[in-house]
Amino acid sequence: MSDIRIRRSHTKPLDEARKAAEKLAKQLRKDFDLDYVWEGYVLRIERSVVDGELHAMTRDVLLAASLGSLLAILTSPN
């Protein structure tokens, strides 16, 4: 598996950051058939090829995901 970690700063209030993440999650569900669920301010995403979490925090957003073996092969630099 390959792991992805992306952290981005933002200046939005926490509730607005969560709303932006919700909008993104809905688009991902539509485009890639991903399932997601909120646990507080943590968005958990799941599909056979990816598992991950998006943490909406006061000053930044952190995406941590693990790609399944098929996607890991496609994203490998070798």
Side-chain angles (χ1 to χ4, degrees), residues 3-17:
D3 293 327
I4 297 171
R5 290 182 59 86
I6 301 170
R7 183 181 296 265
R8 293 289 183 257
S9 298
H10 68 82
T11 58
K12 296 181 180 289
L14 187 54
D15 287 337
E16 285 186 36

Side-chain angles (χ1 to χ4, degrees), residues 3-69:
D3 293 327
I4 297 171
R5 290 182 59 86
I6 301 170
R7 183 181 296 265
R8 293 289 183 257
S9 298
H10 68 82
T11 58
K12 296 181 180 289
L14 187 54
D15 287 337
E16 285 186 36
R18 188 181 189 280
K19 287 178 187 177
E22 176 72 20
K23 183 177 177 181
L24 173 63
K26 286 180 180 179
Q27 190 64 45
L28 290 171
R29 178 172 45 198
K30 179 181 174 187
D31 293 347
F32 301 106
D33 195 31
L34 291 175
D35 291 325
Y36 71 91
V37 63
W38 280 101
E39 294 177 5
Y41 285 91
V42 177
L43 174 71
R44 300 196 189 282
I45 56 174
E46 185 177 293
R47 189 162 184 234
S48 59
V49 294
V50 64
D51 289 312
E53 300 176 345
L54 186 138
H55 298 258
M57 298 175 286
T58 304
R59 294 188 179 146
D60 48 337
V61 175
L62 171 65
L63 172 67
S66 294
L67 303 178
S69 57

